[in-house]
Amino acid sequence: MIRLLARDLRLAVRAGGGFGLALAFFLIVCVLIPFGVGPSSGILGQIAPGVLWVGALLACLLSLDRIFATDHEDGSLELLATAPLPLEALTLTKAAAHWLTTGLPLTLAAPILALLLNLPMPAYGTLILSLALGTPALSMIGAFGAALTVGLKRGGLLLSLLVLPLYIPTLIFGADAVRRAAEGQGATTPLMLLALITLGSLAILPFAGAAALRMNLR
Amino acid sequence: MSFWEYANPRKFMATTDRLLKPVFVLAALCLGTGLIWGFFFTPDDFKQGSTVKIIYLHVPSAMMAINVWAMMLITSLVWLIRRHHVSALAAKAAAPIGATMTLMALFTGAVWGQPMWGTWWEWDPRLTSFLILFLFYLGYMALWASVENPDTAADLTSVLCLVGSVFAILSRYAVNFWNQGLHQGASLSLDKEENVADVFWLPLVVCIAGFVLLFVALVLLRTRTEIRLRRIGALEMKERLA
């Protein structure tokens, strides 16, 4: 598992596997929003929690189809499937690699972009915490979606149609936590619900993803 | 007599061949009676006027929208566990009907909401969760359409249906958390004091029965079509090999 994780990370960094791409996309979304709604800092500060969360979510989506597709194309997915490592562990590892290359950088970059969007000061800690808690769920759900669509020709578009509705609860709780913190309310409840979604996804979706992989590889 | 013998396509076709017409007739009867009764022979509501009559389309379609998904969940489970092809095809046949019902509930809701709430659309928890349900239906149908091997397609959509159900329920309660509602609570429960008045309730129940029967008839019809399509595919394959 660890060796597979290291391999995926190395591939992502060296082969231009979307490591910087997601971050750049996140940056562009956050730069585009002020052009769309106007530069008034009051409005920007108000919508910043939602914009940051939606931006992170879309940036995550961007690199999802690479989770299994590249391995499927060159045949290494078949090799991995016949390896002694169970497919459930494979799915989990792939999701972890995806999180380390997109979710984690997004979390770390979010405060800087929040500065651009004039997010109120007290919300910064909650922003980082909510993204750190929520993005693993995004990666895990995405890995499940990628497993469903791995053998398809037009997989990318379909993948976003399948995965985005599944992202809704995560988005609701994540953005709500930051909004509450920005308004000076306690954000513990949405944060705990966010953690619940992440833990639930990590517990259930590796099995669903592995089942989908097995069906696709049969 | 076991329920499972209908998993045999031939048995299923023979039985549904006999069932189809009566169910269609019953559905037409119930819908006709319920709608005409509801539209012309019930009084106007004292606050809402005649707009209340949209309830006879809105409530049954909304109920069906949810229950069709539940039926798809059950047939998907049957396919995953016992691998009966008819079951998977029934789930496939039900999805577009469910999507139509969801759209219909949303549309009639908008038409009703405009005079009553003064808005076509409001980000109310119930409205929002129906929109999300509609997205789930779309994703489900898109996955069916894009996988070529029918067995793989049935497998993948079944798994999506299971995971989707979990997330649909999760979304249902998450949107409650996210915004306060404008929509009224349940008013058809059997155990509640405050329900819809009997004059409206009776034709409504007839309408709901009509919608259920119509759904059953359409699902049977569409499943039969799917089975025939499968047979044509098999025949063509045989011809090509010969």
Side-chain angles (χ1 to χ4, degrees):
Chain A
M1 260 178 104
I2 292 167
R3 218 174 282 167
L4 182 63
L5 188 68
R7 164 188 175 270
D8 274 6
L9 290 181
R10 228 177 298 132
L11 273 178
V13 175
R14 288 193 192 152
F19 182 63
L21 211 62
L23 266 181
F25 181 80
F26 192 28
L27 172 69
I28 288 175
V29 168
C30 291
V31 170
L32 282 182
I33 293 295
F35 292 127
V37 300
S40 144
S41 57
I43 297 177
L44 281 181
Q46 228 173 23
I47 61 169
V51 169
L52 287 165
W53 253 93
V54 172
L57 192 147
L58 292 177
C60 241
L61 189 72
L62 208 61
S63 49
L64 280 184
D65 59 339
R66 286 167 169 277
I67 295 183
F68 292 116
T70 42
D71 280 357
H72 184 63
E73 275 161 22
D74 64 9
S76 47
L77 192 60
E78 271 93 353
L79 286 180
L80 287 170
T82 49
L85 189 70
L87 274 176
E88 284 81 4
L90 171 73
T91 317
L92 193 62
T93 315
K94 286 285 188 181
H98 180 261
W99 183 73
L100 285 174
T101 50
T102 47
L104 189 62
L106 287 179
T107 309
L108 296 178
I112 302 164
L113 297 176
L115 209 64
L116 289 178
L117 290 173
N118 195 31
L119 185 76
M121 264 307 155
Y124 277 81
T126 317
L127 176 71
I128 298 174
L129 195 58
S130 74
L131 280 171
L133 279 175
T135 44
L138 297 184
S139 291
M140 196 60 242
I141 298 169
F144 165 68
L148 272 182
T149 55
V150 67
L152 302 178
K153 274 172 225 131
R154 292 164 296 145
L157 261 177
L158 182 67
L159 181 62
S160 38
L161 181 62
L162 294 181
V163 161
L164 283 178
L166 300 178
Y167 275 176
I168 291 171
T170 321
L171 175 64
I172 289 176
F173 292 127
D176 199 67
V178 184
R179 196 176 313 122
R180 284 188 183 206
E183 287 165 5
Q185 299 166 336
T188 322
T189 319
L191 282 177
M192 278 164 83
L193 288 166
L194 196 62
L196 170 102
I197 292 178
T198 302
L199 291 176
S201 309
L202 289 178
I204 299 166
L205 287 178
F207 296 96
L213 273 183
R214 237 171 251 131
M215 291 158 183
N216 263 324
L217 291 177
R218 190 173 48 214
Chain B
M1 263 305 268
S2 150
F3 173 71
W4 297 111
E5 67 183 59
Y6 295 103
N8 178 354
R10 192 167 296 150
K11 175 84 183 156
F12 177 84
M13 291 298 266
T15 317
T16 51
D17 192 33
R18 270 179 282 125
L19 266 178
L20 203 55
K21 247 183 211 153
V23 177
F24 259 119
V25 171
L26 265 179
L29 266 178
C30 278
L31 273 179
T33 323
L35 288 179
I36 291 171
W37 184 3
F39 281 137
F40 299 112
F41 300 102
T42 56
D44 287 353
D45 186 77
F46 82 103
K47 252 192 229 156
Q48 308 197 17
S50 56
T51 56
V52 76
K53 292 183 172 173
I54 214 164
I55 196 175
Y56 303 111
L57 290 174
H58 182 66
V59 171
S61 59
M63 284 177 89
M64 290 316 293
I66 299 171
N67 289 328
V68 170
W69 187 275
M71 174 237 157
M72 281 161 54
L73 175 64
I74 293 168
T75 47
S76 296
L77 275 173
V78 170
W79 161 252
L80 283 179
I81 295 166
R82 301 194 58 151
R83 307 205 74 79
H84 295 320
H85 286 267
V86 175
S87 180
L89 291 178
K92 183 185 182 185
I97 309 174
T100 315
M101 291 288 178
T102 317
L103 207 58
M104 194 168 150
L106 284 171
F107 178 76
T108 51
V111 172
W112 199 0
Q114 210 284 326
M116 284 307 108
W117 299 338
T119 170
W120 296 99
W121 180 258
E122 180 69 41
W123 289 96
D124 162 280
R126 283 198 185 213
L127 275 63
T128 314
S129 30
F130 260 75
L131 196 59
I132 297 170
L133 184 64
F134 183 62
L135 293 177
F136 275 110
Y137 274 121
L138 283 188
Y140 181 87
M141 290 190 293
L143 189 59
W144 257 115
S146 56
V147 184
E148 272 163 30
N149 182 334
D151 279 3
T152 314
D155 280 337
L156 292 177
T157 49
S158 299
V159 172
L160 178 68
C161 187
L162 297 191
V163 174
S165 304
V166 174
F167 276 86
I169 294 169
L170 207 59
S171 308
R172 170 80 183 81
Y173 290 99
V175 290
N176 262 342
F177 184 85
W178 163 74
N179 199 356
Q180 295 305 312
L182 201 59
H183 199 290
Q184 63 167 336
S187 50
L188 284 179
S189 322
L190 294 172
D191 55 345
K192 272 228 198 105
E193 285 293 305
E194 236 183 77
N195 268 341
V196 171
D198 276 355
V199 258
F200 300 118
W201 193 72
L202 287 173
L204 184 55
V205 168
V206 178
C207 273
I208 292 172
F211 264 77
V212 172
L213 286 167
L214 178 67
F215 166 68
V216 170
L218 286 174
V219 162
L220 290 181
L221 184 68
R222 289 181 57 88
T223 312
R224 285 167 63 81
T225 316
E226 293 288 341
I227 291 174
R228 288 200 170 122
L229 267 178
R230 199 57 84 78
R231 284 182 181 167
I232 292 173
L235 282 179
E236 274 177 347
M237 190 78 91
K238 219 182 275 172
E239 223 162 63
R240 223 174 297 146
L241 287 177

